[in-house]
Amino acid sequence: MSSDHKKSTKQSAVKPEKVKPKQKIELYRQMLLIRRFEEKAGQLYGMGHIGGFCHLYIGQEAVVTGMNAVKEEGDQVITGYRDHGHMLVCGMEPNGVMAELTGREGGYSRGKGGSMHMFSVEKKFYGGHGIVGAQVPLGTGLAFANKYRDNGNVSMAYFGDGAANQGQVYESFNMAKLWSLPVVFVIENNRYGMGTSIERASSTTDLSHRGASFDIPGIKCDGMDVFKVMQAGKEALAHARSGKGPFIIEMVTYRYRGHSMSDPAKYRSRDEVDEMRKDHDPITTLKDMLLEDGDIDEAGLKEIDAEIRKVVSEAAEFAQNSPEPKTDELYTDILVAND
Amino acid sequence: MPVEVLMPALSPTMEKGTLAKWHVSEGDTVGSGDVIAEIETDKATMEVESVEEGRIGKILVSEGTLDVPVNAPIAIILYEGDDENTPLPEGSKQQAEPDAKESAAPEKQEEPEKAPTNQVKITVREALRDAMAEEMRKDETVFVMGEEVAEYQGAYKVTQGLLDEFGARRVIDTPITEYGFAGIGCGAAMAGLRPIVEFMTFNFAMQAIDHIINSAAKTLYMSGGQMRCPIVFRGPNGAASRVGAQHSQDYSAWYASVPGLKVIAPYTAADAKGLLKAAIRDPNPVVFLENEMLYGQSFDVPDTDDHIVPIGKANIRQQGDDVTIVSYSRGLAYVEEADAALKELNINAEVIDLRTLRPLDMETILTSVKKTNRLIVVEEGWPVCSVGSEICSAVSSLAFDDLDAPCLKVSGKDVPMPYAANLEKLALPTAGDIVEAVKKVTYTQ
């Protein structure tokens, strides 16, 4: 795994020293928020406050954080069911996300969507989709609308290494290239589609090449390094925005937890997980860099940590105290009343 | 002995066509494979080749003749030794039908009552095209995508002329990838556009049904009312003719069972137009089920670009007191055929065209059943878990005391559609099945 990361990007990485300290600290803050939020969600799941499926993003934080840092106003985001991190970086309220996890009235979908189905039209987050790969044509459709309106926006469609084998992904690649749609396909390769390693599921494992037969350029990127993600994202978004059509980034990343909360993850060794956490953790890496460069001191870090813990515990409290949806909500939002 | 050249069929559903051009004149010598004429339908153009070697003895149908029935003789080819006076062989069409031009059957008249002055007679195909064109003129966010919708002018010519008027930005040919382009349509709708996604037939929409249901129908609910998906999925549904099991399925009951969708299945051209316009304007995902066999049929349609038929309202096509017959789409063609026989039995049926399958207009059905005390539901689809099953169940529970007989279903048979002509006929409902069912519930001998 580690060698994969070292050879990764063809691009020269965004030079961290060129990123302003303030922005570096913000990236750190966002990644830490996702990490703490997800840990809390895991806890609440264990306590029975969150039901059904709950797919945690722990370990993959640098991917959405880096991409989010280089997107432009109006660019859309769509992803699959491992979606909590995407929503938080889009600026959706932790309270509303957590309350949706607990199925309460205060949730983004008023409790009717759950972990896998949340949306914010205002923040340009288009879900939150539970069917593996479905977000890829949907995200391509968002790009279609951008081109139709000629609004200069790019859609970012995130999907995993598992979804990368879905037929509809290639149907979308074909049309995206055929029509030069402004879409960036972000493949979050966390090495396991549920319990099946990529080597056991994919005839070719370099997912950055998956657009080759459609002439869609692709790059492989170390998804554990937020600066490398930013660099790859910048290149991809600029390509798509310039009218050249789709671009693929394979983000080589890792999830520390099981596929979902009910997965004990026996298909991989504890050593493998420990090695990733110890040597490649995106948050620890950035934290060490901040300290080394003197961008922040221990006290500053503590302050951020405390502030995030407060946000997360408030979200957990809100999510538990928000009432369940009223029973008449059962029959609302099935159809839009005619305007 | 002379041989007749017959008007060929371009497709199993073609009944007549235009003799557009003769490439030969009387007296010309032709060889096997020579192109002798061009024929046209509203769907396609085709060259007629000679399968015989000989001399054109007589041209029976002149260039430019419209509505020449399939199998009508259009020319006579003479062999060596034949002359213009050599008699045709026994059983030739020419003997039975002396003039093909005369025998060109007029369009079936679907609505016998006198049309108001502001009605025009157009085909269902034209009605659908006009509906799309009018809505596209009105709303810049409306666009059409699908296989062969643009340059080919539509596999069934429903989108004829749209590319010319609206250009390639709004009339988009897709690859043959239903799952993908249905998903792209949904994504565009989520971003606020109003796509019309054409499926060449709904049989192929099975590849896309995931997006129709999981992405289009459920998103509003899952997003707590935030995210809309205003999209129309349309195309021919149900049995065509002689195309076998994989191309002859009625999906009405499948889609009608899904909360979050509106489902429409019109019969007449006026309803096709008015309901498609309503569907395009609707903020919800709509599944619009057409029928290939009806595309070429003509009906009166109000001559206005603002003819809207409300979704969710059934239409009483015929008033009657003895039995309520509910149907939709092509089912009504069987009902009309049966009705002639019922009238001979002195049975006056009230005929209801559902037009919309979801939401179902139960009120109209129940009001009618309260009057007639009997219900028959007619559909082409399979009998198990069908639209008829649903209506019979609802009427049995909501109007039990009004019923004088059990509610009966007349449907397609519980088999995949066979190819053989005789078996295909058996697999579909017939007017005879309807008459039998009506006799049963009216206790008529």
Side-chain angles (χ1 to χ4, degrees), chain A residues 109-110 148-149 168 171 330 336, chain B residues 140 169 180 191 222 224 284:
Chain A
S109 301
R110 297 210 300 285
Y148 192 91
R149 294 185 165 124
Q168 60 180 322
E171 297 186 14
L330 184 61
V336 181
Chain B
E140 214 267 331
R169 173 172 167 260
M222 294 193 305
N284 297 289

Side-chain angles (χ1 to χ4, degrees), chain A residues 76 78 100 108-110 112-114 117-122 125-129 131-132 134-135 137-142 144-145 147-149 166-168 171-172 174-176 178-179 181 329-339, chain B residues 139-143 145 169-170 172-194 207 210-211 214-215 217 219-228 259-262 282-285 358-359:
Chain A
Q76 303 107 325
I78 190 165
E100 191 58 40
Y108 265 94
S109 301
R110 297 210 300 285
K112 300 196 313 194
H117 313 117
M118 266 180 270
F119 309 81
S120 171
V121 175
E122 184 205 344
F125 179 73
Y126 287 81
H129 294 271
I131 306 297
V132 172
Q135 72 273 25
L138 294 173
T140 308
L142 297 171
F144 178 96
K147 180 159 187 192
Y148 192 91
R149 294 185 165 124
Q166 270 268 346
Q168 60 180 322
E171 297 186 14
S172 304
N174 182 45
M175 285 179 272
L178 187 66
W179 300 331
L181 302 181
E329 280 284 349
L330 184 61
Y331 289 105
T332 62
D333 305 324
I334 294 166
L335 292 171
V336 181
N338 279 20
D339 296 323
Chain B
D139 181 351
E140 214 267 331
T141 64
V142 179
F143 69 94
M145 72 194 306
R169 173 172 167 260
R170 297 179 68 193
I172 301 145
D173 279 326
T174 63
I176 309 168
T177 50
E178 284 80 5
Y179 197 5
F181 71 72
I184 288 176
C186 288
M190 287 169 182
L193 299 183
R194 288 183 175 260
Q207 300 213 340
D210 173 42
H211 281 297
N214 274 317
S215 303
T219 295
L220 186 75
Y221 196 80
M222 294 193 305
S223 68
Q226 264 192 78
M227 187 116 94
R228 298 177 174 195
L261 289 180
K262 291 188 178 181
D282 201 278
N284 297 289
R358 184 182 187 96

Side-chain angles (χ1 to χ4, degrees), chain B residues 99-253:
Chain B
D99 192 339
K101 274 184 278 184
E102 296 293 309
S103 70
E107 284 273 30
K108 203 172 145 202
Q109 306 290 308
E110 290 301 335
E111 282 170 349
E113 69 270 23
K114 198 165 165 263
T117 46
N118 62 338
Q119 304 272 318
V120 282
K121 194 166 277 292
I122 59 172
T123 62
V124 170
R125 173 182 288 115
E126 291 163 332
L128 293 166
R129 193 263 326 274
D130 291 352
M132 288 188 278
E134 286 169 16
E135 293 309 299
M136 288 175 80
R137 279 173 212 135
K138 214 170 266 180
D139 181 351
E140 214 267 331
T141 64
V142 179
F143 69 94
V144 189
M145 72 194 306
E147 294 153 9
E148 310 290 6
V149 297
E151 295 194 5
Y152 192 88
Q153 307 292 326
Y156 295 98
K157 296 287 174 277
V158 175
T159 52
Q160 186 134 36
L162 295 184
L163 175 66
D164 283 349
E165 181 174 353
F166 300 102
R169 173 172 167 260
R170 297 179 68 193
V171 184
I172 301 145
D173 279 326
T174 63
I176 309 168
T177 50
E178 284 80 5
Y179 197 5
F181 71 72
I184 288 176
C186 288
M190 287 169 182
L193 299 183
R194 288 183 175 260
I196 303 168
V197 171
E198 174 176 308
F199 294 116
M200 194 179 290
T201 80
F202 263 91
N203 300 287
F204 316 138
M206 272 216 273
Q207 300 213 340
I209 201 167
D210 173 42
H211 281 297
I212 300 173
I213 294 173
N214 274 317
S215 303
K218 295 178 183 171
T219 295
L220 186 75
Y221 196 80
M222 294 193 305
S223 68
Q226 264 192 78
M227 187 116 94
R228 298 177 174 195
C229 192
I231 187 168
V232 176
F233 300 102
R234 52 155 289 273
N237 171 61
S241 175
R242 308 295 311 283
V243 288
Q246 292 180 337
H247 288 68
S248 307
Q249 190 176 334
D250 178 356
Y251 292 89
S252 302

Side-chain angles (χ1 to χ4, degrees), chain A residues 296-310:
Chain A
I296 200 164
D297 56 14
E298 289 285 358
L301 288 171
K302 266 192 187 147
E303 206 174 294
I304 291 173
D305 201 48
E307 172 211 326
I308 284 171
R309 280 184 195 283
K310 186 160 170 272

